[in-house]
Amino acid sequence: MAKANKYVYHYSRSKSDGNGKMKALLGGKGANLSEMSRIGLPVPAGMTITTEVCTYYYKNAKTYPKSLDGEIKTNIAKIEKAMGKKFGDLKNPLLLSVRSGARESMPGMMDTILNLGINDQVVEALTVKTGNAKFAWDSYRRFLQMYGSVVMGVEKRKGEHHDPFEAILDQAKEKAKVADDWGLAENDLRYIVSEFKKLIKKRAGKVFPEDPMDQLYGAVNAVFNSWQNDRAKVYRQKYGIPAEWGTAVNVQAMVFGNTGKTSGTGVAFTRDPATGENVFYGEYLVDAQGEDVVAGVRTPKPVSKMAKDLPSSFKELLKIRKILEKHFRDVQDIEFTIEEGTLWMLQTRNGKRTGFAAVNIALDMVKERLITKEEAILRIPAEDLSQLLAPIFDPAAERKARKMGSGLPAGPGAASGQIYFTAEAAVAAAARGQQVILTRQETSPEDLRGMIAAEGILTTRGGASSHAALVARQMGKICVCGAHDMDIDYARKTLSGNGITLKEGDFLSLNGFIGNIYSGKLKAAPSKVIQALLENKASAKKSTTYKKFTQLMSWADKLRTLGVRTNSDTPEQVKNAIAFGAEGIGLTRTEHMFFEGNRIDAVRQMILAVDDQGRAKALKKLLPYQKKDFADIFEALDGRPATIRLLDPPLHEFIGTMTPAQIRSLAKKLKVSPAFIKRRIGELHEENPMLGHRGCRLGIVYPEITKMQATAIFEAAVEVQKKKIKVVPEIMVPLVGYAKELELQKTVIDTAATEVREKHGLRANQLKYTVGTMIEVPRAALTAAEIAEHAEFFSFGTNDLTQTCLGLSRDDSSSFLPAYQDAEVVNNNPFSTLDQTGVGQLIEIGVKGGRRTKKNLKIGICGEHGGDPDTIKFCHRIGLNYVSCSPFRIPIAKLAAAQAALA
Ligand code: ADP
Ligand code: MG
Ligand code: MG
């Protein structure tokens, strides 16, 4: 018989059932609590109910496995033994905390419930036991407040300005004439407790459960239910966390930071998570519990001040800081509580950090020999590099700007935008295309959508551990928080500071590197990395950001095996791409060139031509233009390969958009009637141009277009070679679905080559080129073996391949894709991240087919997906030779390619 499933894991200082590696089963928090216990750190005893129970719960109409109840009871006994207290006891009561804990931390999923197990009798027992009535009643009122809202659903109603519990608290404070919660005396707290109970009964329609075991089950249910609440769903969607993972429940013995001056609670990072600097970074409060530090009710003190307030615990904490970094070999985000001078660890996890911090920390840790280069590479989310490339403020503009205030620099970067005071207003403004600064006294998980929509976030309250700071670190948002010298008036919708008042919709600028806030929109300048790479600025080359960036790129280059090319259409783009380290062009589109200057007239003449002769005349005009385009690109490439795609869009695109005035003037130039042009426009109109007369279908019907383009490429090559610059043209035929199409086009190209060689008296090896094709319709992937007979390379055009595989037009998908993402039909936009299960199969079939015919067939990918880290890893796995992406994504692609090689 199979061994019965174990659903509950115990941990205490003497013994842990689990360990830090069991995150899938125990959730991140549970696994790390076990791990900290295991290595002898002071952790209150507890138990973790596994994520499997969550899965079971949802699969079985919200019921639990039969054996769960017994396991929970056994585990409570273990906690009781470890802590020397008893749950529900009237002499020495054990209280519990109940927390959610998914595999990856998900802020905003469920609020923690503290002090569970307290009731009318237990509170008296606690008073007698500790001799501290104020503490006992403070704990009771906190429990009622948390349990009442989180488990029994007593929350702010529509139209109410305050949380109903807070309203009672405020009223009591007013009556007692105290400013803060902790100024309340025993009697005030007794009164609050009775009011809270009344409130719960009235609003929830039932009394709050006195029985500790009932309380516990209520809380456990609430944790599992929170896995499907709106905030959790939004978060999962944004970070692609599957719903099947589920959450664990952590039940832990309470330790108390609210017993007086020798107690306290805090949160800290072992290094600065915004910049990465190696300093102990955090906040704490004396005589406080739980979320007091982050709630913004009292202003917490920076952790360095603990040396004075709680000296021995601070010393121990500094030791633990070192132990944790050594053990977990990464920056830790910790939560701790001090009860009567004894330090307890309540949480540790790898700290979320900004892109800047990610790079700094990883590289510093290599230097400190804490991690290897390879680990450093694997640790930096490739996408985060975009933060290092994002614009900063122009220094001159910033010097002249009007400063309104300053706050904590919680998210590095520079943001200018229009201010909005609610998440809804921010979302709406962003949807109108505005750049938005979400401006709030403080943020909460309800603001998440607004924060996602905003360029930058400003808060006037809270500190390093506030919600705004946390989200900024996680999303890489530009953020200044806790700007205490500024004021927000929600009713008037104004933000003021330093004598300046802004209204909703006014422009504001945030410097998230130093925390400065300016009125107006500041001029931007390129990032240090871009100044150094593209503008060759000496001062920028000395910046640490740039130095660390180049160090990282050189490691990535050594480790990766996948080539990284660029999609570039102009010599300017090519130069930028090469500065970023591109190894060649993976895609040059020739149609953009057709729009340049006044050559569009010749293009239109060619399209309107009624016979071969007319077309030949127009093409002759175009040839020198195209030749120059290619020559400039070859020169910029300086010997690197260039994949040039022949004309792809339907001809209608070049004439369909003409205004009546343009039609009249063209008619004059071409000596035809405007009516004739209009008729041709009508003839060329297509119902479904994406699937119409485009790609190689143009070249099949009008081989002379292909011939002109090929000739221009070869003439350019000859010219550039004369300057002793090597040229490697790779001519790519678009939209092939039949081997015969490629065969026909290749003949045209080969003929053009022969003619150019003859004209210049060159031997075959003096003008070299290859011909290949884009694989961008399913038939091409399926018949890749046949197509490869005529191809010297393949490049997957994954934009069209996605459109044709899914039967989904990219340009028309925005009306339903968001709903698809909400309904979890798709986890990502298939046009940004490759659909590996569907389109990916076609690619694999294409690779296998192509290499069956030609073992060493060179294969790459072009299209938006080529710059997406997940797609890049996929490309590496299936053996592509290179990816190609836009110039500014090249660093990201290189890092992702290195990560793929290490995986
Ligand atoms: P989050 O996931 O939002 O960080 P946690 O589950 O870490 O929430 O809990 C929040 C806070 O509750 C902790 O920082 C700590 O102050 C308090 N807390 C949790 N468990 C305990 C406990 N066993 N004893 C005392 N305080 C606790
Ligand atoms: Mg919490
Ligand atoms: Mg926490």
Side-chain angles (χ1 to χ4, degrees):
M1 213 179 81
K3 216 178 126 223
N5 240 338
K6 178 177 169 68
Y7 290 116
V8 184
Y9 284 67
H10 169 81
Y11 57 84
S12 59
R13 284 184 85 164
S14 54
K15 183 182 178 301
S16 285
D17 295 345
N19 64 53
K21 294 204 174 76
M22 301 167 75
K23 291 202 171 65
L25 187 66
L26 303 180
K29 196 174 285 165
N32 276 356
L33 283 168
S34 290
E35 185 70 12
M36 281 200 291
S37 307
R38 221 177 54 80
I39 63 173
L41 295 180
V43 176
M47 63 168 129
T48 303
I49 304 172
T50 67
T51 54
E52 282 176 0
V53 178
C54 187
T55 313
Y56 182 101
Y57 183 72
Y58 280 107
K59 277 210 180 125
N60 297 278
K62 301 201 172 180
T63 58
Y64 295 114
K66 277 204 195 72
S67 56
L68 185 69
D69 191 55
E71 281 193 61
I72 288 180
K73 292 200 170 117
T74 315
N75 269 275
I76 288 179
K78 284 187 190 168
I79 299 173
E80 289 174 337
K81 191 165 164 228
M83 301 305 284
K85 300 178 180 181
K86 266 187 134 53
F87 191 48
D89 192 45
L90 296 183
K91 281 204 199 82
N92 191 8
L94 169 75
L95 300 191
L96 299 172
S97 82
V98 179
R99 306 186 268 175
S100 60
R103 197 184 300 193
E104 276 178 27
S105 105
M106 286 176 49
M109 200 173 87
M110 196 196 81
D111 294 316
T112 299
I113 294 169
L114 303 179
N115 310 326
L116 186 137
I118 207 166
N119 58 27
D120 286 353
Q121 278 103 49
V122 171
V123 70
E124 302 293 356
L126 211 56
T127 307
V128 174
K129 170 78 192 157
T130 61
N132 190 341
K134 192 185 144 189
F135 150 73
W137 286 92
D138 181 52
S139 303
Y140 197 10
R141 74 93 188 155
R142 286 171 185 269
F143 174 56
L144 283 168
Q145 192 168 353
M146 289 184 261
Y147 199 88
S149 66
V150 176
V151 180
M152 304 189 73
V154 179
E155 284 181 326
K156 196 170 78 179
R157 284 178 177 163
K158 263 220 164 90
E160 277 179 345
H161 287 297
H162 287 291
D163 172 85
F165 291 103
E166 289 294 333
I168 292 172
L169 251 180
D170 285 345
Q171 195 196 2
K173 277 189 279 188
E174 220 166 278
K175 227 174 81 187
K177 297 197 171 56
V178 296
D180 297 290
D181 296 0
W182 87 106
L184 294 164
E186 179 195 339
N187 265 339
D188 306 322
L189 293 162
R190 279 179 181 267
Y191 166 76
I192 292 168
V193 162
S194 78
E195 288 300 303
F196 278 4
K197 283 185 160 182
K198 280 189 224 156
L199 173 73
I200 291 174
K201 193 169 167 211
K202 199 168 123 214
R203 289 272 179 105
K206 50 186 170 193
V207 292
F208 130 91
E210 294 271 337
D211 177 54
M213 238 8 227
D214 289 348
Q215 293 175 357
L216 182 58
Y217 268 102
V220 171
N221 290 340
V223 171
F224 286 137
N225 289 335
S226 74
W227 181 247
Q228 291 295 0
N229 74 23
D230 186 51
R231 287 177 337 200
K233 281 191 196 161
V234 170
Y235 190 87
R236 280 206 293 275
Q237 216 170 75
K238 164 120 182 124
Y239 291 96
I241 295 174
E244 306 87 74
W245 280 8
T247 180
V249 185
N250 294 292
V251 179
Q252 186 180 36
M254 281 297 300
V255 290
F256 300 100
N258 56 335
T259 64
K261 280 207 169 60
T262 54
S263 300
T265 187
V267 301
F269 281 83
T270 55
R271 298 184 193 209
D272 184 331
T275 65
E277 199 188 337
N278 192 354
V279 291
F280 195 35
Y281 178 98
E283 299 172 326
Y284 75 103
L285 278 173
V286 169
D287 195 6
Q289 191 183 52
E291 312 275 22
D292 290 0
V293 176
V294 292
V297 198
R298 285 161 63 187
T299 307
K301 299 183 184 176
V303 81
S304 55
K305 293 258 166 67
M306 246 179 92
K308 232 179 103 207
D309 284 344
L310 300 157
S312 74
S313 296
F314 184 60
K315 257 196 213 145
E316 199 183 345
L317 197 57
L318 287 181
K319 266 193 220 143
I320 290 178
R321 172 187 176 218
K322 286 233 169 74
I323 294 171
L324 286 175
E325 276 208 350
K326 260 224 161 99
H327 185 76
F328 289 97
R329 302 165 71 245
D330 200 352
V331 171
Q332 294 300 297
D333 169 358
I334 60 176
E335 304 189 0
F336 56 89
T337 281
I338 293 142
E339 177 180 332
E340 312 276 338
T342 304
L343 176 70
W344 295 95
M345 300 303 296
L346 298 177
Q347 179 184 319
T348 191
R349 63 182 173 208
N350 291 343
K352 294 258 155 71
R353 65 209 76 178
T354 67
F356 286 92
V359 172
N360 280 334
I361 291 168
L363 272 72
D364 286 349
M365 286 191 163
V366 174
K367 222 190 258 165
E368 293 160 28
R369 294 175 186 278
L370 216 50
I371 58 173
T372 62
K373 279 180 203 170
E374 287 76 11
E375 283 170 305
I377 289 275
L378 284 171
R379 230 171 239 194
I380 301 166
E383 195 63 54
D384 278 11
L385 285 185
S386 59
Q387 289 176 36
L388 274 63
L389 305 179
I392 57 177
F393 287 135
D394 174 59
E398 190 165 359
R399 272 194 300 278
K400 275 188 271 164
R402 290 178 66 197
K403 188 170 160 188
M404 289 180 73
S406 62
L408 198 78
S416 284
Q418 293 169 261
I419 56 173
Y420 288 93
F421 297 99
T422 63
E424 298 84 72
V427 169
R432 290 194 298 271
Q434 293 180 4
Q435 307 227 300
V436 170
I437 307 279
L438 180 67
T439 306
R440 294 197 52 81
Q441 289 169 346
E442 60 216 339
T443 62
S444 69
E446 282 85 50
D447 295 322
L448 207 59
R449 284 180 200 271
M451 299 172 92
I452 293 171
E455 299 294 313
I457 299 160
L458 168 66
T459 64
T460 52
R461 295 188 191 156
S465 51
S466 66
H467 179 261
L470 183 137
V471 173
R473 282 192 287 274
Q474 199 152 5
M475 295 189 190
K477 287 274 173 193
I478 293 154
C479 175
V480 176
C481 65
H484 296 283
D485 49 357
M486 298 184 74
D487 264 315
I488 291 176
D489 186 331
Y490 282 135
R492 290 211 173 83
K493 298 190 183 170
T494 57
L495 167 73
S496 44
N498 197 18
I500 306 168
T501 297
L502 300 184
K503 299 186 302 295
E504 181 181 68
D506 286 349
F507 276 95
L508 185 80
S509 296
L510 303 178
N511 184 333
F513 294 103
I514 52 175
N516 281 358
I517 300 146
Y518 309 98
S519 70
K521 186 177 178 170
L522 291 198
K523 198 175 144 205
S527 78
K528 292 275 187 232
V529 173
I530 289 179
Q531 285 183 27
L533 285 179
L534 305 189
E535 299 173 7
N536 211 7
K537 273 209 184 124
S539 61
K541 286 191 176 169
K542 286 194 201 111
S543 70
T544 15
T545 310
Y546 174 71
K547 283 187 192 154
K548 288 207 161 126
F549 172 85
T550 37
Q551 174 75 84
L552 183 67
M553 283 298 110
S554 79
W555 291 348
D557 283 340
K558 280 201 197 99
L559 289 166
R560 72 189 162 88
T561 55
L562 196 62
V564 176
R565 293 192 183 192
T566 180
N567 296 351
S568 290
D569 301 337
T570 65
E572 190 59 36
Q573 286 175 2
V574 173
K575 274 181 209 138
N576 286 347
I578 289 172
F580 278 126
E583 296 161 311
I585 290 181
L587 174 66
T588 277
R589 308 173 189 85
T590 53
E591 49 273 10
H592 298 297
M593 302 169 180
F594 277 37
F595 281 107
E596 266 198 14
N598 51 9
R599 61 179 84 166
I600 185 68
D601 282 347
V603 174
R604 288 174 174 154
Q605 184 183 353
M606 164 192 86
I607 295 167
L608 294 169
V610 281
D611 52 21
D612 293 354
Q613 238 179 341
R615 208 160 17 249
K617 229 162 96 188
L619 284 169
K620 214 169 147 192
K621 280 192 210 161
L622 278 174
L623 180 80
Y625 290 128
Q626 285 253 281
K627 178 180 160 190
K628 171 134 191 356
D629 293 331
F630 296 135
D632 290 347
I633 286 175
F634 289 148
E635 270 202 65
L637 278 171
D638 198 18
R640 297 173 183 84
T643 303
I644 301 169
R645 181 182 73 186
L646 300 179
L647 193 63
D648 180 41
L651 297 180
H652 182 258
E653 267 188 25
F654 296 99
I655 56 170
T657 55
M658 285 169 84
T659 62
Q662 283 174 325
I663 291 179
R664 276 195 303 276
S665 108
L666 183 69
K668 217 182 244 161
K669 276 189 216 158
L670 299 185
K671 298 192 177 72
V672 296
S673 71
F676 166 76
I677 296 182
K678 278 187 206 145
R679 201 186 75 219
R680 285 292 286 157
I681 292 175
E683 281 167 8
L684 288 167
H685 174 78
E686 291 178 323
E687 289 304 331
N688 206 339
M690 187 198 112
L691 303 176
H693 193 181
R694 51 170 288 215
C696 69
R697 298 162 198 168
L698 288 173
I700 302 283
V701 177
Y702 307 118
E704 53 273 37
I705 300 180
T706 301
K707 176 97 177 280
M708 180 279 286
Q709 290 203 295
T711 307
I713 292 169
F714 296 133
E715 288 283 3
V718 171
E719 186 177 299
V720 173
Q721 279 178 359
K722 280 191 190 139
K723 298 182 184 167
K724 301 261 174 292
I725 297 172
K726 190 174 149 204
V727 180
V728 189
E730 303 171 340
I731 301 176
M732 181 156 77
V733 180
L735 217 73
V736 163
Y738 297 86
K740 185 76 183 176
E741 287 170 321
L742 182 61
E743 188 187 352
L744 289 171
Q745 290 286 285
K746 185 166 161 31
T747 313
V748 177
I749 296 164
D750 288 341
T751 309
T754 310
E755 286 175 16
V756 172
R757 281 184 190 130
E758 272 168 12
K759 181 173 154 200
H760 295 279
L762 297 171
R763 292 187 307 274
N765 66 359
Q766 289 173 306
L767 176 60
K768 287 202 247 179
Y769 65 95
T770 52
V771 177
T773 182
M774 248 166 128
I775 304 287
E776 52 188 336
V777 298
R779 193 180 196 283
L782 299 172
T783 61
E786 285 168 44
I787 291 174
E789 300 281 351
H790 311 282
E792 283 152 293
F793 63 87
F794 279 175
S795 177
F796 285 94
T798 47
N799 295 343
D800 270 320
L801 194 57
T802 299
Q803 296 201 98
T804 51
C805 174
L806 303 182
L808 190 102
S809 149
R810 178 175 53 172
D811 301 331
D812 300 318
S813 61
S814 61
S815 56
F816 56 87
L817 262 189
Y820 267 47
Q821 278 173 286
D822 278 345
E824 303 194 6
V825 178
V826 293
N827 284 328
N828 294 299
N829 179 334
F831 295 105
S832 341
T833 294
L834 187 82
D835 163 37
Q836 291 179 21
T837 17
V839 182
Q841 276 192 54
L842 283 176
I843 297 180
E844 285 185 80
I845 290 169
V847 170
K848 280 198 194 111
R851 292 208 173 128
R852 208 161 46 236
T853 303
K854 288 190 176 147
K855 203 171 130 226
N856 295 318
L857 189 70
K858 190 169 67 184
I859 305 179
I861 174 178
C862 53
E864 302 301 307
H865 301 101
D868 169 65
D870 283 343
T871 309
I872 292 168
K873 288 170 194 164
F874 170 78
C875 291
H876 174 92
R877 279 202 304 279
I878 62 165
L880 296 202
N881 298 90
Y882 67 88
V883 295
S884 188
C885 58
S886 68
F888 282 68
R889 294 201 67 85
I890 284 170
I892 295 164
K894 285 184 163 188
L895 183 54
Q899 289 169 345
L902 289 169

